[in-house]
């Protein structure tokens, strides 16, 4: 075992980070697949509620250790806004996962990088040039290619996926602000506790008693979600964000294969074409963002 650890540590930080991202991306798609399966009989909000319960269990040592100060903040409104947007983002995103092909939802989810750039301009006063604006517009054309909006036949789940990507981006922008003011423990705990409390009400209203198998899957979903988030954090610790972030696009491959094998979903030409456009534009956007940051 020691020799394998030494070989692992001998790799560069970017290679280690990329490998971790590849594994975390697979875990992400497996988790989405389980949600898609369980969501056929159990309400999405109930699945998310149980997931949050598991998160609270995991972070309970942080709550106990910092119980005297962990809920102190001067910006409760911003915390509540982030929690509210997170709830909508998760609910809309996973409802889309349950009702759409995995590859399509996965491709649309990458639009969050484009949304984040736009929101950073609006709320963080960041300035971008013509090339990045062009890249953003092309990226959204890719989203339109996938969802193919038709006034006479609107795909509500595709709209949910796009709105979820927008809300995820907004959550990230708010998090940037919060991280400059409050402690990480306060941000983490307030977010998790508030989301769990709010989700408890609709979960009670829509409650469906899960079977033993469904409960096992729900526990797996919560565990995989926490593991995935931990792995993404570890990847960013050892590697450069600009170098390892593109590795996340392997989720498209994972989603396509799992969709074909387990859900009999065959990606359409529209999905593949739109995904290629989105990936290309977001990769360019990330590269330009990295260059912009390096110049500061």
């Amino acid at each position: 075992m020691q020799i394998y650890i030494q070989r692992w540590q001998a790799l560069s930080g970017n290679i280690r980070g990329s490998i971790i991202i590849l594994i975390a991306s697979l875990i992400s798609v497996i988790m989405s697949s389980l949600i898609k399966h369980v969501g056929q009989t159990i309400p999405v909000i109930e699945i998310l509620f149980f997931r949050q319960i598991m998160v609270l269990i995991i972070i309970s040592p942080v709550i106990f250790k910092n119980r005297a100060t962990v809920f102190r903040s001067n910006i409760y409104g911003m915390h509540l806004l982030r929690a509210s947007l997170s709830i909508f983002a998760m609910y809309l995103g996973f409802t889309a996962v349950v009702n759409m092909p995995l590859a399509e939802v996965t491709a649309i989810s990458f639009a969050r990088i484009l949304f984040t750039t736009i929101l950073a301009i609006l709320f963080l006063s960041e300035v971008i040039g013509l090339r990045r604006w062009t890249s953003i517009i092309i990226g959204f054309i890719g989203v339109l290619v996938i969802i193919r909006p038709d006034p006479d036949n609107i795909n509500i789940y595709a709209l949910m996926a796009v709105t979820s990507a927008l809300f995820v981006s907004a959550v990230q922008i708010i998090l940037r602000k919060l991280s400059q003011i409050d402690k990480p423990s306060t941000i983490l705990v307030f977010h998790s506790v508030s989301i769990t409390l709010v989700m408890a009400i609709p979960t009670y209203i829509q409650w469906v008693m899960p079977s033993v198998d469904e409960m096992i899957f729900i526990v797996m979903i919560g565990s995989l979600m926490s593991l995935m988030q931990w792995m993404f954090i570890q990847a960013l610790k050892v590697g450069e964000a600009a170098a390892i972030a593109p590795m996340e696009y392997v989720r498209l491959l994972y989603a396509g294969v799992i969709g074909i094998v387990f859900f009999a979903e065959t990606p359409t030409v529209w999905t593949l074409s739109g995904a290629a456009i989105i990936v290309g534009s977001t990769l360019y956007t990330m590269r330009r963002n990295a260059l912009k940051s390096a110049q500061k």
Side-chain angles (χ1 to χ4, degrees), residues 80-293:
L80 290 173
L81 177 60
R82 179 183 175 225
S84 300
L85 291 174
S86 294
I87 291 171
F88 282 113
M90 288 188 288
Y91 179 76
L92 294 173
F94 289 133
T95 299
V97 165
V98 171
N99 293 279
M100 288 180 65
L102 278 177
E104 286 189 21
V105 179
T106 302
I108 293 174
S109 71
F110 288 123
R112 70 184 187 277
I113 299 172
L114 307 175
F115 281 126
T116 299
T117 302
I118 294 176
L119 293 177
I121 297 168
L122 296 176
F123 297 103
L124 300 180
S125 300
E126 294 187 6
V127 179
I128 69 171
L130 178 60
R131 284 183 290 185
R132 278 199 288 174
W133 269 119
T134 303
S135 175
I136 291 170
I137 293 171
I138 292 173
F140 285 118
I141 290 174
V143 173
L144 294 176
V145 168
I146 293 176
I147 64 178
R148 303 186 304 284
D150 180 355
D152 298 322
N153 186 25
I154 297 176
N155 187 337
I156 186 65
Y157 299 114
L159 293 179
M160 284 185 174
V162 174
T163 306
S164 175
L166 172 60
F167 286 168
V168 168
S169 302
V171 168
Q172 292 301 314
I173 295 295
I174 294 172
L175 182 58
R176 289 188 194 179
K177 287 288 188 180
L178 286 172
S179 63
Q180 297 170 7
I181 303 171
D182 276 343
K183 296 183 298 184
S185 58
T186 298
I187 296 172
L188 172 66
V189 172
F190 196 99
H191 185 252
S192 298
V193 171
S194 56
I195 286 179
T196 305
L197 291 176
V198 172
M199 283 185 175
I201 299 173
T203 297
Y204 175 77
I205 295 172
Q206 300 182 36
W207 177 260
V208 174
M209 179 60 69
S211 65
V212 174
D213 288 345
E214 288 168 339
M215 197 66 229
I216 292 173
F217 284 136
I218 290 173
V219 171
M220 290 175 62
I221 289 168
S223 301
L224 290 174
M225 177 78 82
S226 300
L227 177 60
M228 176 195 70
Q229 292 176 337
W230 179 83
M231 291 187 73
F232 273 112
I233 292 171
Q234 295 306 307
L236 291 171
K237 279 185 178 181
V238 300
E240 299 170 326
I244 66 176
M247 294 298 104
E248 192 182 351
Y249 284 104
V250 77
R251 283 203 293 129
L252 277 170
L253 175 60
Y254 294 150
V257 172
I258 290 178
I260 292 171
V261 174
F262 293 99
F263 300 104
E265 299 171 349
T266 302
T268 66
V269 173
W270 295 106
T271 300
L272 296 175
S273 301
I277 294 172
I278 294 171
V279 170
S281 64
T282 51
L283 282 174
Y284 182 81
T285 300
M286 284 192 297
R287 179 175 178 273
R288 295 302 303 177
N289 288 344
L291 291 173
K292 191 71 175 179
S293 298

Side-chain angles (χ1 to χ4, degrees), residues 3-29:
I3 189 172
Y4 291 111
I5 295 176
Q6 291 175 347
R7 287 179 179 176
W8 172 255
Q9 293 177 340
L11 297 174
S12 70
N14 285 341
I15 292 178
R16 281 184 287 155
S18 296
I19 293 173
I20 294 172
I21 287 289
L22 291 175
I23 298 172
S25 296
L26 177 59
I27 291 173
S28 173
V29 175

